[in-house]
């Protein structure tokens, strides 16, 4: 099937064929093709938000499923995320203009002493793709760095990542400090990274452990829905 | 230098490696987020204690405290200029401990990943990676390491860069990858892929295998995968002592010394010849492992069911080898794979 690559002309495809083709192109990590697809849909009068959700987010959801199920691995997902990012670069300014709905705000970073940001970057891109606003603090974050970012306001979720057994305990230091400062319950705290597990997440006082970026998105959505329900009930 | 390990393997048939470095240093008071390598200079007495813990427990080979002493990782602590100093100190203390023994004890210079991504989607080039590894490798050898030990790698490109760096230094080496994602490395490498990759290297290691990853059972499934794929070199098994849990303010691995003893015997029966632990493996575990490896003869290759019965469940249904593996979706441009 791959030999009819030459015959794929995105601009000639009707919407109902173009959108699944874009999902395929995300799956294959093809940034140029994604940019082209995004521009074609915008040119056909689609709203930026519709292009984002039906074109990109749905495509990344499929990538996320196969990542979760051990069919795709980090290199393929990074390529897909790069393609997504290329599409997002076109949509972002338009989305800001049109005031597209946001699911929530997140601060994310790798903990002190840890240089690994592959998983964290994946979470960032997939969360953005799902409609969250994410502030990425990068690697090697101290308690002060996390709390400073949270205090800058209007944050719903804190995400912490660690890839080493020697750095993962630092997550507890951050959560303990949040408790001391009486701010722990104001945030949804999600943790992730290769050496972690669910029990570890519970023991250090996180709201959830997310085993990969796809699970992180689902978990964040669930917690945000619960939060809204609570707020609704309290009103 | 390299003959030492081969001679010992020849004489004993197998070699007991060491246990954890990072998690054992935590037990000595290392704070989360601090680089363990600073202690090579700041607290050499504790690093000596760490090494002696393994040697006194019966390890034939132990790794130096230099996992993160490459420029990329040290940069995090603004110490990228201390690669040589910290690596030499790690190996120097180790050399003294090894030489104080009446039996042969091998010093293996640990070299962990850079933490950066190589290849199509990454930022680290092959040339820069080789340069970084070479700086660390040369210092470890100069400090007194017998063999270099490239560990916890997930990308073949990175291990290839390390191999080239080590060839430039003229040292011998062993290499292990961490199979932590559905039985593969984070980058999707299966046990069979690794055998093929090692086979294709110009500069061959003395041995290769798996370390860290998830639990001890997963690691043995990987070892069986190496054998199945026709591995020719001695196989290394360095598995974690169970799964990490947070107890009373520190990380505790739930694998008992008895479990690790079972793991050691099973690892050897699976075909591994260099057997040790990784995270959570303390001298207490190593004592038990030595005891059973000395006492028991090599037995039959265990089945996956026998591994699960003794060490607990696998973390994923399969490990990406064999026929029963889910394939990527068919796409119009690239097709299925």
């Amino acid at each position: 099937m791959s030999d009819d690559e030459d015959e794929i002309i995105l601009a000639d495809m009707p919407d109902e064929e173009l959108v699944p083709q874009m999902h395929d192109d995300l799956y294959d990590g093809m940034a140029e093709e994604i940019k082209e697809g995004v521009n074609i849909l915008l040119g056909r009068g689609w709203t930026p938000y519709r292009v984002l959700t039906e074109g990109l987010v749905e495509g990344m959801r499929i990538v996320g499923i196969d990542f979760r199920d051990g069919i795709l691995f980090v290199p393929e997902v990074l390529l897909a995320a790069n393609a997504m990012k290329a599409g997002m670069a076109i949509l972002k300014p338009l989305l800001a203009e049109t005031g597209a709905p946001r699911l929530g705000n997140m601060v994310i970073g790798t903990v002190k002493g840890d240089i690994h940001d592959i998983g964290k970057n994946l979470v960032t891109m997939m969360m953005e793709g799902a409609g969250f606003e994410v502030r990425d603090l990068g690697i090697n974050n101290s308690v002060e760095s996390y709390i400073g970012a949270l205090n800058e306001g209007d944050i719903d979720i804190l995400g912490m990542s660690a890839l080493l057994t020697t750095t993962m305990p630092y997550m507890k230091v951050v959560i303990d400090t949040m408790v001391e400062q009486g701010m722990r319950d104001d945030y949804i705290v999600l943790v992730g990274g290769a050496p972690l597990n669910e029990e570890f997440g519970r023991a250090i006082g996180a709201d959830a452990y997310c085993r990969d970026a796809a699970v992180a998105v689902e978990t964040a959505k669930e917690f945000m829905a619960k939060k809204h329900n609570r707020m609704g009930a309290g009103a | 230098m390299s003959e030492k390990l081969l001679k010992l393997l020849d004489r004993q048939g197998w070699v007991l490696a060491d246990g954890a470095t990072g998690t054992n240093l935590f037990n000595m008071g290392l704070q989360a987020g601090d680089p363990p390598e600073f202690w090579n200079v700041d607290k050499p007495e504790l690093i000596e204690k760490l090494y002696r813990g393994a040697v006194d427990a019966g390890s034939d080979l132990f790794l130096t405290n230099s996992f993160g002493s490459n420029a990329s990782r040290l940069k995090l602590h603004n110490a990228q200029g201390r690669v040589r100093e910290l690596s030499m100190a790690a190996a120097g203390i180790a050399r003294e401990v090894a030489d104080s023994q009446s039996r042969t004890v091998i010093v293996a210079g640990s070299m962990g990943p850079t933490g950066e991504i190589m290849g199509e989607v990454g930022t680290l080039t092959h040339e820069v990676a080789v340069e970084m590894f070479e700086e660390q490798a040369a210092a470890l050898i100069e400090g007194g390491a017998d063999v270099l030990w490239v560990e916890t790698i997930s990308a073949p490109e990175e291990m290839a860069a390390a191999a080239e760096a080590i060839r430039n230094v003229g040292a011998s080496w062993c290499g292990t990858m961490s199979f932590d994602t559905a039985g593969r490395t984070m980058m999707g490498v299966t046990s069979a892929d690794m055998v093929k990759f090692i086979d294709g290297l110009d500069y061959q290691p003395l041995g290769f295998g798996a370390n860290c990853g998830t639990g001890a059972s997963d690691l043995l499934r990987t070892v069986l995968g190496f054998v199945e794929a026709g591995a020719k070199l001695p196989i290394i098994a360095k598995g974690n002592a169970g799964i990490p849990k947070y107890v009373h303010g520190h990380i505790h691995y739930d694998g008992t010394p008895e479990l690790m003893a079972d793991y050691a015997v099973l690892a050897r029966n699976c075909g591994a010849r260099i057997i040790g632990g990784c995270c959570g493996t303390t001298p207490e575990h190593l004592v038990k492992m030595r005891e059973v490896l000395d006492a028991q003869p090599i037995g039959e290759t265990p089945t996956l069911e026998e591994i699960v019965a003794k060490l607990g469940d696998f973390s994923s249904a399969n490990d990406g080898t064999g026929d029963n593996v889910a394939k990527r979706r068919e796409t119009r441009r690239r097709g299925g794979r």
Side-chain angles (χ1 to χ4, degrees):
Chain A
M1 287 228 270
S2 53
D3 52 2
D4 52 41
E5 183 172 334
D6 291 345
E7 295 165 27
I8 298 177
I9 299 167
L10 296 180
D12 290 351
M13 288 181 174
D15 292 358
E16 65 274 14
E17 206 179 315
L18 174 57
V19 171
Q21 181 60 43
M22 285 174 71
H23 298 165
D24 273 8
D25 287 347
L26 270 175
Y27 198 88
D28 290 339
M30 307 181 84
E32 288 310 312
E33 286 76 2
I34 286 298
K35 280 198 272 187
E36 194 188 338
V38 164
N39 282 325
I40 292 170
L41 289 176
L42 289 172
R44 291 180 189 173
W46 280 45
T47 63
Y49 185 68
R50 188 169 169 215
V51 179
L52 173 69
T53 49
E54 293 179 30
L56 302 186
V57 173
E58 176 58 19
M60 284 306 278
R61 194 184 65 80
I62 298 167
V63 171
I65 290 170
D66 282 5
F67 182 45
R68 181 198 66 200
D69 292 346
I71 296 167
L72 296 182
F73 291 85
V74 169
E76 293 96 329
V77 177
L78 280 178
L79 277 176
N82 278 348
M84 161 103 195
K85 216 173 161 184
M88 274 299 280
I90 300 169
L91 293 176
K92 229 175 181 175
L94 303 174
L95 286 166
E97 276 170 31
T98 50
R102 286 253 142 243
L103 285 182
N105 294 323
M106 179 183 205
V107 160
I108 194 170
T110 304
V111 296
K112 190 174 153 191
D114 208 317
I115 196 170
H116 297 90
D117 59 1
I118 302 169
K120 171 192 65 71
N121 291 348
L122 285 177
V123 173
T124 302
M125 292 206 241
M126 299 215 20
M127 290 290 289
E128 283 182 341
F132 287 85
E133 182 75 41
V134 184
R135 178 155 171 227
D136 186 349
L137 303 177
I139 55 171
N140 198 24
N141 284 285
S142 63
V143 176
E144 295 75 22
S145 154
Y146 283 116
I147 290 182
L150 292 178
N151 283 336
E152 277 170 33
D154 204 27
I155 305 296
D156 306 295
I157 304 167
L158 169 65
M160 289 190 280
S161 162
L163 200 76
L164 299 174
T165 46
T166 51
T167 55
M168 59 195 250
Y170 196 76
M171 294 177 173
K172 174 117 188 336
V173 176
V174 177
I175 294 174
D176 286 350
T177 311
M178 290 172 75
V179 171
E180 272 165 35
Q181 300 193 2
M183 60 191 287
R184 167 67 188 87
D185 295 338
D186 300 339
Y187 301 97
I188 299 158
V189 179
L190 305 181
V191 296
L196 278 71
N197 54 51
E198 212 169 309
E199 199 178 337
F200 176 82
R202 265 201 305 276
I204 63 167
D207 287 302
Y209 153 74
C210 306
R211 51 171 275 216
D212 60 44
V215 173
V217 170
E218 291 313 310
T219 311
K221 281 187 187 163
E222 269 168 40
F223 274 96
M224 287 307 289
K226 273 190 220 159
K227 190 175 168 181
H228 287 303
N229 290 342
R230 253 201 330 272
M231 280 160 59
Chain B
M1 287 189 282
S2 63
E3 311 85 82
K4 241 192 224 177
L5 177 56
L6 294 178
K7 262 190 209 153
L8 192 60
L9 272 173
D10 216 31
R11 194 167 72 229
Q12 219 171 242
W14 51 275
V15 158
L16 179 67
D18 61 351
T21 297
T23 50
N24 282 339
L25 290 176
F26 273 132
N27 295 340
M28 296 183 188
L30 181 71
Q31 294 300 305
D34 288 349
E37 292 79 14
F38 282 10
W39 276 19
N40 296 335
V41 171
D42 299 338
K43 303 200 172 180
E45 68 287 353
L46 291 185
I47 299 305
E48 185 185 330
K49 192 174 153 198
L50 168 80
Y51 293 160
R52 284 202 187 279
V55 173
D56 292 346
S59 294
D60 299 306
L61 173 155
F62 67 96
L63 306 194
T64 58
N65 179 38
S66 54
F67 180 84
S69 73
N70 61 60
S72 168
R73 284 193 54 76
L74 285 176
K75 193 168 175 214
L76 204 51
H77 308 279
N78 203 19
Q80 61 275 26
R82 298 181 65 190
V83 172
R84 188 177 138 82
E85 175 205 1
L86 295 173
S87 306
M88 275 191 69
I93 301 166
R95 184 75 266 150
E96 278 178 31
V97 170
D99 287 346
S100 70
Q101 305 298 310
S102 50
R103 64 195 173 97
T104 303
V105 174
I106 295 162
V107 174
S110 167
M111 297 170 66
T114 61
E116 296 196 36
I117 305 180
M118 301 177 66
E120 193 180 2
V121 288
T123 50
L124 179 65
T125 64
H126 177 76
E127 291 70 29
V128 174
V130 170
E131 203 177 293
M132 280 198 286
F133 282 131
E134 194 172 329
E135 183 187 17
Q136 182 188 26
L140 286 168
I141 291 296
E142 193 178 340
D146 295 306
V147 56
L148 296 175
W149 200 273
V150 181
E151 56 170 344
T152 329
I153 301 293
S154 53
E157 298 86 5
E158 194 163 12
M159 189 167 272
E164 187 176 321
I166 293 168
R167 172 164 64 184
N168 292 346
V169 171
S172 55
W173 69 292
C174 291
T176 58
M177 288 188 177
S178 172
F179 297 81
D180 58 11
T181 311
R184 308 196 194 194
T185 75
M186 192 169 75
M187 297 302 179
V189 179
T190 64
S191 50
D193 293 339
M194 186 180 183
V195 170
K196 211 191 252 177
F197 163 76
I198 292 286
D199 262 352
L201 284 175
D202 291 338
Y203 194 61
Q204 287 283 297
L206 302 179
F208 79 98
N211 77 298
C212 210
T214 51
S217 13
D218 277 50
L219 193 126
L220 294 189
R221 182 171 62 179
T222 303
V223 170
L224 289 176
F226 292 146
V227 174
E228 179 81 11
K232 296 182 205 78
L233 296 169
I235 295 171
I236 301 162
K238 266 179 130 269
N240 294 336
I243 305 244
K245 299 194 169 160
Y246 207 87
V247 186
H248 304 306
H250 69 274
I251 303 278
H252 173 78
Y253 277 73
D254 67 356
T256 59
E258 289 70 28
L259 179 122
M260 287 307 276
D262 283 343
Y263 149 83
V265 168
L266 286 170
R268 195 174 56 180
N269 291 347
C270 284
R273 294 183 66 199
I274 301 172
I275 297 150
C278 198
C279 301
T281 311
T282 67
E284 275 175 68
H285 294 92
L286 293 169
V287 166
K288 281 278 176 202
M289 289 162 73
R290 179 91 223 181
E291 217 177 272
V292 292
L293 287 174
D294 277 336
Q296 296 188 20
I298 297 181
E300 291 200 356
T301 308
T303 61
L304 292 178
E305 291 72 28
E306 283 161 347
I307 292 171
V308 169
K310 286 220 159 155
L311 303 178
D313 250 330
F314 298 121
S315 69
S316 60
N318 67 64
D319 65 354
T321 61
D323 301 325
N324 195 18
V325 176
K327 296 274 186 293
R328 54 173 281 142
R329 289 166 205 246
E330 292 254 340
T331 55
R332 271 185 67 179
R333 288 188 208 272
R334 297 202 171 167
R337 231 188 7 192

